[in-house]
Amino acid sequence: MSYVDEVIESVVAKNPAEPEFHQAVKEVLESLRPVIEANEEKYRKVALLERMVEPERQIKFRVPWVDDKGQAHVNTGYRVQFNSAIGPYKGGIRLHPSVNIGIIKFLGFEQVFKNSLTSLPIGGGKGGSDFDPKGKSDREIMAFCQSFMTELCKYIGADTDVPAGDIGTGAREIGFMFGQYKRIRGVYEGVLTGKGLSYGGSLARTEATGYGLLYLTQELLKLNGIDIAGKTACVSGSGNVAIYAIEKATQLGVKVLTCSDSNGWVYDPDGIDVAALKEIKEVNRARLTEYKKYRPNSEYHEGRGVWVVKADLALPCATQNELLLEDAKALVENGCTAVCEGANMPTTLEATKYLQEHGVIFAPGKAANAGGVATSALEMSQNSERLSWTFDEVDAKLKNIMINITHNMVDAAKRYGHEGDYVMGANIAGFEKVADAMMAQGIC
Ligand code: NDP
Ligand code: 2IT
């Protein structure tokens, strides 16, 4: 059996009931075959792949908190410190009822290669909890965040592990967590990113993932001889990534026809109104049913359905496995040009294969959404030098990073004779630096 197949088999056997983790490992290792096969003896000798798929550390803890009625609740907290070969662990915290160890491991594994692609010195990690922030009061959110950080603060630090936002964790949650870290540890340091601007946050971090997605999409289309201006797009999600993807897309002359949340989706033939979306989601924390009040011409549909709308671009920005084989078929049928992933692993393996086989340009999340963590690393730099850069400085650096990622991904695929396979390109480009660092650091 080949080295890749052996490692995939052992990951499945050792980690049963973690389907998302299996999926992420399969996607990466399958596409690394040409590199692994060329170096098989060398890598086997030092168990490189076995070490890459085993997190350096997994932390699991109790998070007790009390609601507004005086009732106590218990959630489970996680932090997976996956790989520190190229820098301190870095990655977000997801607060969503679906969170379990397999989800956090898949996200942590993806993060290792994504962070490497940014070319900045950050290792990979991820954390979270099965806590559901929906419908909770600010005080309940604070109670949860303080309890979560009371335990997590023992394992993180500006030079060891630097968490940030993800689904369910935005500026409000980061603020509560930062306050609790400082209180318990007694140090004022850049231990979290995505902080508020008044206490060490970076300008453009809020916008970074969505903006970065569009910078990469624009460059990738350009390399394929296509101008992004004048195109139409379907976006899923209506959270941090989706909102700023829609904003930048609109600035670049793209008409965005859809967005969604976990209850339903909106079709706006005149293009999604970003100001309305921000008010609904960022200010009122409301549902998308509200959108029609701002735009009477729009339609609201219950359930899922974003990918049946005819558009040139599809930008999944909600969650994992939200673009299925049937959706890929609908996109191809409607003549979709490109799918660029704003979310982490939103496209299933079968859907990805179908899109690639039918000539759709496909940019995987670990490249396309790397702008968020890249700007987090820029926030770390600013915290270290105790200075703040302007919005334009950060945005220019972000754009430059995304353009470099695009070229590295395109070139790596070409180097191994698979021109146009950007899944392979991104995985190889991300893998090379981590592998090199791990080889240099000995068996650890
Ligand atoms: P938010 O919590 O801000 O928004 C998430 C959006 O996705 C919401 O509209 C939410 O709807 C929807 N959603 C979440 N879970 C589901 C689900 N199970 N089914 C349908 N819709 C769902 O998160 P972000 O925008 O930050 O994150 C979105 C994606 O981007 C995630 O995959 C995340 O890992 C990834 N990402 C985020 C980065 C960041 O910097 N924030 C960086 C890189 C990647 P509802 O409100 O109804 O739950
Ligand atoms: O998936 C991701 O890259 C993030 N949620 C952002 C992580 C970060 O550290 O900014």
Side-chain angles (χ1 to χ4, degrees), residues 68-105:
D68 288 347
K69 296 193 182 103
Q71 175 64 50
H73 299 267
V74 178
N75 287 103
T76 307
Y78 303 91
R79 186 74 184 165
V80 172
Q81 298 180 329
F82 220 111
N83 191 307
S84 62
I86 62 173
Y89 311 105
K90 182 84 199 82
I93 290 172
R94 178 173 292 191
L95 301 181
H96 194 270
S98 63
V99 163
N100 57 43
I101 188 65
I103 300 251
I104 300 298
K105 278 170 69 180

Side-chain angles (χ1 to χ4, degrees), residues 27 110 114 340-346 362-370:
E27 188 235 79
E110 287 283 293
K114 182 196 304 191
C340 299
E341 297 185 323
N344 284 307
M345 209 169 75
F362 182 87
K366 64 171 72 65
N369 71 37

Side-chain angles (χ1 to χ4, degrees), residues 75-297:
N75 287 103
T76 307
Y78 303 91
R79 186 74 184 165
V80 172
Q81 298 180 329
F82 220 111
N83 191 307
S84 62
I86 62 173
Y89 311 105
K90 182 84 199 82
I93 290 172
R94 178 173 292 191
L95 301 181
H96 194 270
S98 63
V99 163
N100 57 43
I101 188 65
I103 300 251
I104 300 298
K105 278 170 69 180
F106 117 64
L107 290 162
F109 185 71
E110 287 283 293
Q111 200 81 47
V112 173
F113 303 97
K114 182 196 304 191
N115 293 4
S116 167
L117 277 171
T118 66
S119 76
L120 300 167
I122 39 178
K126 199 83 187 189
S129 173
D130 57 358
F131 174 74
D132 186 358
K134 274 202 200 86
K136 303 287 190 298
S137 69
D138 282 354
R139 197 212 58 83
E140 288 171 331
I141 297 284
M142 181 171 75
F144 171 83
C145 289
Q146 290 183 338
S147 182
F148 183 81
M149 185 52 86
T150 299
E151 189 60 28
L152 185 67
C153 75
K154 300 168 188 167
Y155 310 103
I156 61 175
D159 292 317
T160 48
D161 185 354
V162 183
D166 193 78
I167 291 178
T169 307
R172 176 182 57 171
E173 291 73 22
I174 294 291
F176 292 145
M177 289 182 195
F178 184 78
Q180 187 73 350
Y181 179 87
K182 181 164 60 72
R183 190 176 170 204
I184 300 182
R185 295 284 298 265
V187 267
Y188 201 110
E189 59 174 4
V191 65
L192 293 162
T193 60
K195 299 185 293 297
L197 298 177
S198 56
Y199 62 96
S202 173
L203 285 159
R205 175 62 188 91
T206 305
E207 294 83 356
T209 312
Y211 277 24
L213 171 65
L214 267 296
Y215 293 146
L216 177 135
T217 304
Q218 181 183 29
E219 186 67 12
L220 191 56
L221 289 178
K222 195 166 123 194
L223 292 174
N224 281 277
I226 303 164
D227 186 357
I228 197 168
K231 296 283 178 281
T232 51
C234 291
V235 170
S236 64
S238 51
N240 173 264
V241 180
I243 289 172
Y244 293 95
I246 296 170
E247 181 166 283
K248 183 51 75 178
T250 309
Q251 286 171 12
L252 295 176
V254 175
K255 190 200 264 189
V256 179
L257 299 171
T258 67
C259 64
S260 66
D261 62 21
S262 52
N263 297 114
W265 58 285
V266 162
Y267 170 69
D268 188 338
D270 304 321
I272 297 290
D273 178 343
V274 187
L277 194 61
K278 283 185 185 174
E279 192 167 307
I280 296 166
K281 289 294 174 185
E282 294 184 336
V283 182
N284 302 334
R285 298 183 188 274
R287 309 308 297 164
L288 276 181
T289 39
E290 300 289 301
Y291 186 84
K292 215 174 157 49
K293 289 186 193 153
Y294 297 80
R295 304 278 275 194
N297 247 350

